[in-house]
Amino acid sequence: MEPAALAIDVEGLTKRFDDKVVVDRFGLQVPRGQIYGFLGPNGSGKTTTIRMLCGLLTPDGGSGTCLGFDILRESASIKRQVGYMTQRFSLYEDLSIAENLEFVGRVYGMADRRRRVDAALGQLGLEKRRGQLAGTLSGGWKQRLALAACLLHDPKLLLLDEPTAGVDPGARREFWEHLHELAHGGMTVLVSKHYMDEAERCHALAYIAYGKLLASGTAQEVVAGANLSTWAIEGEGLAAAAAQLRAAPGADMVVPFGARIHVSGTDAAALAASVARATAPPGLKATPIEPGLEDVFIHLMRSAPEPVSAARQAPG
Amino acid sequence: MAVVAAEASPFTRSLVRSLEASGYFRVVAQPASEAAAESLMAQGEVQFVLHLPAGFSRSLARGERPVVLVEADASDPAATGNALASLQALNLSALDRDLAGPLAHLRASAPAFELRVHRRYNPEGITAYNIVPGLMGVVLTMTMVMMTALAMTRERERGTMENLLATPVRPFEVMAGKIVPYILIGYVQVVVILVAAKLLFRVPMVGSLALLSAILVLFIAANLAVGFTFSTLARNQLQAMQMTFFFFLPSMLLSGFMFPFRGMPGWAQVVGEFLPLTHFLRIVRGILLKGNGWTDIAFEVAALAAFLLAAGAVALTRYRETLD
């Protein structure tokens, strides 16, 4: 892939806070026009990485470009073309909806500010509530407003930090539809989140834990790269079987999923044997299944403290 | 104290020395002319001027009770009151040792010379004349420093700072944006205080209000820059508040607002010289009470400007464009 087609191209990004390494030699290539999911557990360094990409934090090591601009030296140019939506609502709660948008418009020095603000309000369906204080909006509306504010200056790259946290499923679906429309229009979107259920909605994924990139690629590539086999077990006496499996060889993890448990491991033969032993009592049924992203990610996270080379199996 | 002596004789020297011995006076200048003495007092370089007339010794010896004039800068009555009171006692005994031999008869009788005191700028010694203009500086210091200190830390606490930093605004633009509205608020406060000073306290306004308002921009901006610096240091609004008071209390105590500046110990005066309020108090009192013009206050204005530059530079270098 030629470099110009990459919206984000970074290598070896490292960030330390005091002595703690928060992001460790992080590399990522995101092609233009994609929705790229950025997954990882809480405190894994997602927000720190995003902040480094848009110039809010200075990396302690590494280099790269964002929209073709150097992230170390040209953060001013990056800021003009990037829309960054923070994890926490960061517009002014004591300004009205329209005032917030106006403010963003002024800060970016837009010539046709009024038209853009009106258009954004129209798209949000908030023309009638333009005078309402932003602080009085519900979580879902705040998120929509924040997104509209990020999009006001027509960014080429959208960085969204956990945009759907605390938003109901209906609004979330709408939100994703909107993102896909934008990506279709050529915008690149990097979305961080820790809900796995949304991972499939992205074109490609990157998984980060403890500051290290553990896997990246499409959902299928990530799953295939983990080389994991998984069994689903259901029936009577699940708790006992789960306890037995936790100690059994080959079963690297046992995760309850409602009325079922998922047992996964990288050693397929040992796992099959252990599962057969554990499901010997009547009433239990084991079926081999395709491992889900969640299984893969939990597996990756558990093996993360191991050397990066061992965990980083997925094609980049 | 400045001494304008039209003659130098044992009598005048004894008189000056006895004044210095009282502890209230220290001769810092011996201006050649009345005009020079006048400007020293207007600039606040000296608080008293002692005028010894020509032919002092001769008329003293003749028992004519010559007149010695002491001019006092009474714009701060508290600063001059005690010193003036001590003068009267000195008057009786200052020349006792010199009045020997044939002049001894002058000793016991009524004072050998007459002492006249002119209280300049505030002849009635009304403390409000001194306090009300000073209050303007104190109120501005507190509100201006606090408002900017809180304004920026508030952005950080609310999380809006992150959004602001992600936009292409420059540090100077943020600082200007935070400071300019408060300059206007500062002016509203000034107008309220000046109207009250005029109507309620009848404070004389001798000097040019235009000059005063020009300098106010400088003073308000200096305080706002301090506030902005605090806001770059403080992590939350409470810390910003504490820093404000850490700045405000010395300002109030050491600037000459609470206590006469010259009455303070040397170290306190040194600290005081670094506070913008100190210089502003001299300017505002100078303009309102003494009718100071531009040249009289040039040094104080320069000090304010230097403070503003220093505080502004610190604020801008401390301001981070990143969240590091």
Side-chain angles (χ1 to χ4, degrees), chain B residues 168-216:
Chain B
V169 288
R170 315 295 310 167
F172 182 76
E173 294 168 342
V174 176
M175 181 158 132
K178 287 287 179 192
I179 283 183
V180 170
Y182 293 118
I183 290 187
L184 297 179
I185 293 177
Y187 266 104
V188 172
Q189 294 180 336
V190 168
V191 168
V192 171
I193 294 172
L194 282 181
V195 168
K198 185 89 189 164
L199 299 182
L200 297 179
F201 297 99
R202 314 261 168 222
V203 174
M205 294 182 188
V206 187
S208 150
L209 287 182
L211 179 62
L212 179 63
S213 54
I215 290 160
L216 273 168

Side-chain angles (χ1 to χ4, degrees), chain A residues 15 47 51 55-58 76 79-80 84 86 88-94 103 107-108, chain B residues 154-170 178 321-324:
Chain A
K15 183 72 192 173
T47 301
R51 284 176 177 173
L56 284 182
L57 287 175
T58 323
K79 285 175 183 175
R80 289 216 153 263
Y84 171 41
T86 51
R88 201 169 146 193
F89 181 71
S90 64
L91 292 171
Y92 296 92
E93 301 210 329
D94 31 23
F103 176 74
V107 161
Y108 282 93
Chain B
R154 195 176 135 88
E155 297 253 359
R156 202 163 300 137
E157 259 182 28
R158 289 270 190 112
T160 52
M161 195 69 198
E162 191 174 357
N163 201 25
L164 198 60
L165 288 174
T167 65
V169 288
R170 315 295 310 167
K178 287 287 179 192
E321 266 187 281
T322 58
L323 292 166
D324 290 283

Side-chain angles (χ1 to χ4, degrees), chain B residues 7-291:
Chain B
E7 72 161 56
S9 68
F11 291 119
T12 60
R13 279 192 292 275
S14 295
L15 186 61
V16 169
R17 227 172 294 123
S18 68
L19 285 178
E20 291 199 294
S22 75
Y24 285 110
F25 304 96
R26 187 161 46 84
V27 177
V28 294
Q30 305 216 321
S33 67
E34 300 282 332
E38 174 72 27
S39 101
L40 280 179
M41 181 170 272
Q43 288 167 21
E45 294 287 321
V46 296
Q47 206 126 22
F48 302 93
V49 178
L50 175 69
H51 297 269
L52 295 168
F56 175 72
S57 315
R58 205 157 48 120
S59 45
L60 183 86
R62 286 186 187 159
E64 288 174 357
R65 304 194 65 226
V67 174
V68 172
L69 173 67
V70 174
E71 284 187 294
D73 176 354
S75 57
D76 183 359
T80 46
N82 287 342
L84 290 179
S86 79
L87 274 180
Q88 304 303 328
L90 282 175
N91 187 7
L92 289 172
S93 56
L95 296 182
D96 276 5
R97 216 149 34 88
D98 294 303
L99 295 171
L103 299 175
H105 65 280
L106 293 171
R107 207 191 291 174
S109 61
F113 58 92
E114 189 185 341
L115 198 67
R116 271 191 210 146
V117 174
H118 278 187
R119 287 184 175 81
R120 300 286 307 275
Y121 311 127
N122 181 6
E124 291 153 275
I126 298 173
T127 44
Y129 288 5
N130 188 53
I131 288 178
V132 174
L135 211 50
M136 182 171 15
V138 171
V139 168
L140 284 175
T141 300
M142 184 168 89
T143 52
M144 295 294 107
V145 172
M146 188 160 67
M147 279 189 214
T148 25
L150 290 185
M152 291 301 293
T153 40
R154 195 176 135 88
E155 297 253 359
R156 202 163 300 137
E157 259 182 28
R158 289 270 190 112
T160 52
M161 195 69 198
E162 191 174 357
N163 201 25
L164 198 60
L165 288 174
T167 65
V169 288
R170 315 295 310 167
F172 182 76
E173 294 168 342
V174 176
M175 181 158 132
K178 287 287 179 192
I179 283 183
V180 170
Y182 293 118
I183 290 187
L184 297 179
I185 293 177
Y187 266 104
V188 172
Q189 294 180 336
V190 168
V191 168
V192 171
I193 294 172
L194 282 181
V195 168
K198 185 89 189 164
L199 299 182
L200 297 179
F201 297 99
R202 314 261 168 222
V203 174
M205 294 182 188
V206 187
S208 150
L209 287 182
L211 179 62
L212 179 63
S213 54
I215 290 160
L216 273 168
V217 184
L218 207 59
F219 178 64
I220 292 174
N223 281 313
L224 293 174
V226 172
F228 196 84
T229 308
F230 286 167
S231 72
T232 60
L233 296 169
R235 291 185 179 277
N236 53 50
Q237 297 193 46
L238 188 65
Q239 278 187 359
M241 197 78 162
Q242 287 173 319
M243 287 188 193
T244 301
F245 276 92
F246 193 72
F247 178 76
F248 174 65
L249 286 179
S251 282
M252 203 166 74
L253 297 174
L254 303 182
S255 64
F257 175 74
M258 276 290 222
F259 312 109
F261 194 78
R262 289 218 171 67
M264 299 193 304
W267 63 265
Q269 293 193 19
V270 171
V271 175
E273 290 288 348
F274 285 97
L275 297 169
L277 183 59
T278 306
H279 301 282
F280 180 71
L281 286 183
R282 292 176 191 162
I283 292 170
V284 69
R285 289 169 179 168
I287 291 178
L288 290 185
L289 304 180
K290 302 181 185 177

Side-chain angles (χ1 to χ4, degrees), chain A residues 17-49:
Chain A
F17 288 126
D18 300 322
D19 281 337
K20 195 170 174 282
V21 178
V22 181
V23 175
D24 189 10
R25 284 161 291 164
F26 177 85
L28 187 67
Q29 281 77 38
V30 179
R32 287 187 194 240
Q34 281 211 342
I35 298 182
Y36 210 94
F38 196 33
L39 292 112
N42 293 326
S44 55
K46 298 189 297 283
T47 301
T48 307
T49 307

Side-chain angles (χ1 to χ4, degrees), chain A residues 1-315:
Chain A
M1 202 174 286
E2 55 177 314
L6 291 178
I8 299 174
D9 184 5
V10 290
E11 208 52 65
L13 279 191
T14 301
K15 183 72 192 173
R16 268 176 241 107
F17 288 126
D18 300 322
D19 281 337
K20 195 170 174 282
V21 178
V22 181
V23 175
D24 189 10
R25 284 161 291 164
F26 177 85
L28 187 67
Q29 281 77 38
V30 179
R32 287 187 194 240
Q34 281 211 342
I35 298 182
Y36 210 94
F38 196 33
L39 292 112
N42 293 326
S44 55
K46 298 189 297 283
T47 301
T48 307
T49 307
I50 289 181
R51 284 176 177 173
M52 282 194 281
L53 290 176
C54 62
L56 284 182
L57 287 175
T58 323
D60 292 318
S63 62
T65 59
C66 203
L67 296 169
F69 297 109
D70 190 291
I71 57 164
L72 294 174
R73 291 189 308 274
E74 297 173 300
S75 63
S77 309
I78 295 176
K79 285 175 183 175
R80 289 216 153 263
Q81 300 196 6
V82 168
Y84 171 41
M85 182 170 156
T86 51
Q87 193 169 354
R88 201 169 146 193
F89 181 71
S90 64
L91 292 171
Y92 296 92
E93 301 210 329
D94 31 23
L95 288 185
S96 73
I97 295 166
E99 282 165 347
N100 265 308
L101 292 173
E102 289 260 343
F103 176 74
V104 174
R106 278 173 205 271
V107 161
Y108 282 93
M110 290 169 198
D112 52 349
R113 194 179 70 241
R114 257 166 231 291
R115 192 187 57 74
R116 284 185 193 230
V117 169
D118 287 339
L121 284 172
Q123 242 176 6
L124 284 168
L126 283 177
E127 291 114 320
K128 291 211 180 69
R129 292 159 74 184
R130 59 186 298 150
Q132 189 182 335
L133 290 187
T136 62
L137 288 172
S138 67
W141 279 107
K142 275 184 183 169
Q143 176 234 38
R144 273 182 243 190
L145 174 61
L147 182 65
C150 290
L151 292 172
L152 205 61
H153 64 291
D154 283 335
K156 295 205 177 76
L157 170 66
L158 203 51
L159 300 173
L160 306 173
D161 196 359
E162 309 222 349
T164 51
V167 174
D168 68 73
R172 229 191 280 179
R173 169 156 303 183
E174 233 174 79
F175 180 77
W176 277 100
E177 276 166 18
H178 193 173
L179 286 191
H180 274 277
E181 272 169 41
L182 292 170
H184 194 69
M187 197 180 289
T188 315
V189 185
L190 183 71
V191 198
S192 89
K193 58 209 164 177
H194 52 256
Y195 294 135
M196 301 302 156
D197 58 339
E198 289 177 341
E200 276 95 350
R201 303 193 203 211
C202 304
H203 295 127
L205 301 167
Y207 188 78
I208 181 174
Y210 310 111
K212 291 193 173 76
L213 180 70
L214 300 181
S216 63
T218 63
Q220 289 82 356
E221 283 170 343
V222 170
V223 171
N227 197 19
L228 204 66
S229 45
T230 302
W231 292 77
I233 302 173
E234 52 195 330
E236 303 285 320
L238 265 184
Q244 189 188 340
L245 277 166
R246 283 204 170 93
D252 296 342
M253 56 181 200
V254 181
V255 185
F257 272 88
R260 309 191 298 171
I261 53 172
H262 283 192
V263 188
S264 317
T266 40
D267 187 342
L271 179 67
S274 297
V275 168
R277 266 199 306 282
T279 50
L284 281 173
K285 198 174 96 191
T287 25
I289 55 163
E290 188 66 14
L293 271 175
E294 183 147 357
D295 298 313
V296 172
F297 287 142
I298 294 172
H299 165 72
L300 285 172
M301 192 176 88
R302 293 198 177 169
S303 46
E306 293 166 21
V308 184
S309 55
R312 199 172 165 180
Q313 299 151 330

